[in-house]
Amino acid sequence: MAHIKFLDETCRDGQQSLWGMRMQAGQAYPALPTIDQTGYSTISLAGSSLFEVLVRHCQEDPWAGFDLMMSQIKNTPVRGGIRSNGSVTFGFTPQVLMDLWMERLCVHGVRSWWIYDVLFNIDKMTRLAKLSKKYDCKVAATMLFTLSPVHDDAFWADKADKLSAIPEVDSLLLYDTGGVLDRDRIKTLVPAIVANARGKPVEMHSNNMLGQSAKAYCDAVEYGVTVLHTAARSMANGPSIPSIDIMVKNMEALGHTHDIDVSKLQPVSEHFRKVAKTAGYLHDQHYEYDVTSLTTQIPGGMMGTLRNQLIQQNMLDMLPQVLDEVAAVRRELGYPGMATPFAQLVGTLAVLNIVTGKRYGAIPDEVIQYAAGYYGEPPAPIDPDVMDRIAAAPRAKEIFGNPPPEPDLAELKRQHGTDDEDELILRALVPASDIERMRAAGPLKRDYPTLSSPEMEQVRRLMQVAKTPFVQIKSAELDLVMRR
């Protein structure tokens, strides 16, 4: 039997997967002291995409919000995330900007990192792991799992060996964004990883897209995983991860020990359920097993964002066609792992192909950069016909002939017109107009009013009749946005 540790993802991947990254600090901070006292080994809280969405769509200062949330966490290390081949901007990010993102979050209190690179540029992951130690952080080197003909046990054993050899790496993280791992795959995969982990703990994160991730966690623990990523029950399952409630129960039933105070679980879950109901966000999700997910491998966070985007464009009925096209595009681009930025690149191309009716008729710059090798080598060769279409795109010659620059910090400050390094991160993330709207929206909100159930249902019925994706309700006492 083993002692199992739990990492809380309620306010990071839980809200990313269910709420499209729109959780504002005032919606989360009342529950954070309880989460802090629950017995988690780590609380995952920060990512650059979350910051971008808060500025663009919520007009909230993410640094002020992050500080508010950090003020409620006294005992548990907080984790941030970084993609080693470009994390602050959607496309290629200069190394100095990635270093600055890590350093600024550490200044604001982060003491744990999950570092990932879908194409496994080990040297870049090593550089960031070394930098994190300046702040005495723990590092989880991440293997973003995907199913493909080239991703066999030998592939993952090799990556586990190379990542665990980095002295600054404290654990390995097996991250299954599509929730596709089952017992047959786990029984050879996890032993291959554990055998090459050099005695370092192995964590597991699995978005419950097929409704089988809780069982996968149980199987993974049997074969050597000792850290499980979970969320409060109301923020779990569906495109999110398994709930802490069921995984504690499962671990106890299997004879394992843990540090979780189960009396803290229900109040946290109820808090986020109340917020979700009021704002019109998803909660208490359950997905049925859908075999097509094995080919699309849409990650949980991307599914939440994709649904929100399609809803805003009144195009949700096109989701099945888009998902079919995702599988085709992923294969043609050489089976990149379905995580940022490649999940978004594949998803964007799939949407463009369906909406325009012309496959690869419109090719974003980031896809051309991927084909040009800016991010590293694809796991498998890009389909030759698709490569020809990418090379023929109007912007291809310029992008192939001009590798991205690597400015120093002084140059970045000159480019963005600020010496404030927190502000520099925001200006690199979003246009100045978005930041101006954020500032104009006023100070950080701490109190989010709720509607009673009958009132909420009446507003939702009106939204359905009006076919509007959201409605803003304003009065002297209330300022609330509800989404369908």
Side-chain angles (χ1 to χ4, degrees):
M1 298 298 104
H3 185 75
I4 304 303
K5 295 182 179 180
F6 290 95
L7 180 146
D8 179 65
E9 286 278 8
T10 301
C11 297
R12 207 281 301 173
D13 192 52
Q15 68 103 353
Q16 178 174 342
S17 298
L18 299 185
W19 295 8
M21 297 185 280
R22 285 165 167 78
M23 181 181 286
Q24 295 172 256
Q27 295 171 323
Y29 92 98
L32 285 169
T34 307
I35 294 175
D36 184 37
Q37 298 163 12
T38 299
Y40 293 106
S41 63
T42 314
I43 297 171
S44 186
L45 204 59
S48 60
S49 295
L50 275 62
F51 273 41
E52 180 179 353
V53 170
L54 284 170
V55 175
R56 281 182 179 272
H57 301 287
C58 302
Q59 288 77 54
E60 176 166 293
D61 182 346
W63 287 116
F66 188 74
D67 288 343
L68 174 63
M69 292 189 290
M70 287 297 302
S71 72
Q72 305 302 299
I73 302 173
K74 308 296 185 183
N75 306 303
T76 314
V78 169
R79 176 172 286 187
I82 191 165
R83 170 169 54 93
S84 71
N85 61 2
S87 192
V88 180
T89 56
F90 176 72
F92 186 86
T93 305
Q95 288 189 0
V96 67
L97 194 53
M98 288 188 289
D99 293 352
L100 185 63
W101 167 248
M102 175 173 274
E103 293 215 37
R104 295 313 301 166
L105 274 181
C106 286
V107 169
H108 284 264
V110 164
R111 289 298 178 267
S112 174
W113 287 91
W114 66 289
I115 300 175
Y116 74 99
D117 187 322
V118 180
L119 300 183
F120 291 98
N121 293 284
I122 303 297
D123 56 337
K124 293 182 178 182
M125 298 178 77
T126 301
R127 177 179 58 81
L128 290 167
K130 289 180 182 295
L131 176 61
S132 77
K133 294 303 179 182
K134 176 180 175 182
Y135 296 90
D136 198 27
C137 294
K138 297 292 186 182
V139 173
T142 304
M143 296 172 288
L144 286 152
F145 182 78
T146 188
L147 290 171
S148 87
V150 299
H151 291 90
D152 57 12
D153 286 348
F155 176 95
W156 297 110
D158 174 69
K159 303 311 178 193
D161 180 65
K162 287 182 169 65
L163 293 173
S164 62
I166 301 171
E168 293 79 11
V169 164
D170 300 286
S171 61
L172 299 183
L173 169 55
L174 174 59
Y175 200 120
D176 180 14
T177 60
V180 297
L181 281 171
D182 58 16
R183 184 175 181 84
D184 284 345
R185 189 71 189 86
I186 286 169
K187 70 182 180 183
T188 59
L189 171 69
V190 172
I193 291 172
V194 170
N196 288 278
R198 302 172 192 261
K200 296 178 179 180
V202 177
E203 307 179 22
M204 186 168 173
H205 182 117
S206 182
N207 293 86
N208 203 15
M209 301 290 289
L210 282 81
Q212 63 182 9
S213 294
K215 175 63 164 60
Y217 277 5
C218 294
D219 294 332
V221 165
E222 179 182 340
Y223 289 104
V225 166
T226 57
V227 182
L228 300 175
H229 293 200
T230 58
R233 172 163 277 158
S234 59
M235 299 295 292
N237 299 313
S240 182
I241 58 234
S243 75
I244 179 63
D245 307 72
I246 195 61
M247 290 318 306
V248 164
K249 181 179 179 181
N250 287 340
M251 291 303 103
E252 290 177 349
L254 293 171
H256 304 298
T257 56
H258 60 81
D259 297 319
I260 298 299
D261 180 351
V262 295
S263 71
K264 308 290 186 185
L265 303 184
Q266 193 275 335
V268 171
S269 184
E270 184 54 37
H271 168 80
F272 287 109
R273 181 178 294 114
K274 185 177 181 180
V275 173
K277 286 182 176 180
T278 300
Y281 291 137
L282 296 177
H283 60 89
D284 296 287
Q285 292 295 288
H286 298 281
Y287 275 15
E288 295 178 314
Y289 187 88
D290 182 352
V291 72
T292 61
S293 294
L294 297 173
T295 54
T296 62
Q297 294 188 58
I298 296 288
M302 178 183 169
M303 182 64 79
T305 301
L306 183 59
R307 285 180 59 89
N308 264 347
Q309 291 171 342
L310 291 175
I311 287 170
Q312 289 170 7
Q313 299 299 320
N314 289 319
M315 293 170 55
L316 188 58
D317 59 318
M318 297 184 71
L319 183 60
Q321 294 167 265
V322 170
L323 296 182
D324 288 342
E325 184 65 9
V326 163
V329 170
R330 176 175 175 264
R331 181 182 66 252
E332 291 162 351
L333 290 183
Y335 295 105
M338 291 296 283
T340 303
F342 307 119
Q344 290 86 346
L345 296 185
V346 170
T348 298
L349 266 177
V351 170
L352 289 171
N353 290 350
I354 292 295
V355 172
T356 65
K358 184 179 180 182
R359 303 193 75 237
Y360 298 98
I363 301 176
D365 285 0
E366 291 82 7
V367 175
I368 302 173
Q369 292 173 346
Y370 167 74
Y374 285 10
Y375 301 99
E377 289 296 318
I382 296 173
D383 179 270
D385 179 60
V386 170
M387 189 65 184
D388 288 344
R389 297 187 192 190
I390 293 172
R395 294 263 299 145
K397 185 176 181 180
E398 179 183 350
I399 292 172
F400 272 79
N402 295 280
E406 284 287 358
D408 61 18
L409 185 56
E411 175 59 26
L412 280 178
K413 289 180 177 180
R414 283 193 296 271
Q415 288 177 13
H416 293 285
T418 182
D419 287 322
D420 184 315
E421 294 180 346
D422 286 354
E423 180 73 10
L424 175 58
I425 294 291
L426 298 186
R427 294 187 186 186
L429 275 171
V430 298
S433 58
D434 288 335
I435 296 175
E436 290 171 6
R437 282 193 292 272
M438 178 194 78
R439 304 282 188 223
L444 191 73
K445 290 171 60 179
R446 294 189 179 211
D447 299 316
Y448 282 80
T450 60
L451 295 175
S452 68
S453 182
E455 292 168 325
M456 181 175 63
E457 290 306 318
Q458 184 176 9
V459 171
R460 284 209 181 111
R461 285 195 296 270
L462 291 172
M463 290 170 67
Q464 292 287 347
V465 172
K467 297 183 178 179
T468 181
F470 68 90
V471 63
Q472 185 165 16
I473 304 167
K474 279 194 171 186
S475 70
E477 297 82 21
L478 188 66
D479 185 356
L480 176 68
V481 175
M482 285 186 62
R483 290 174 176 83
R484 188 167 48 164

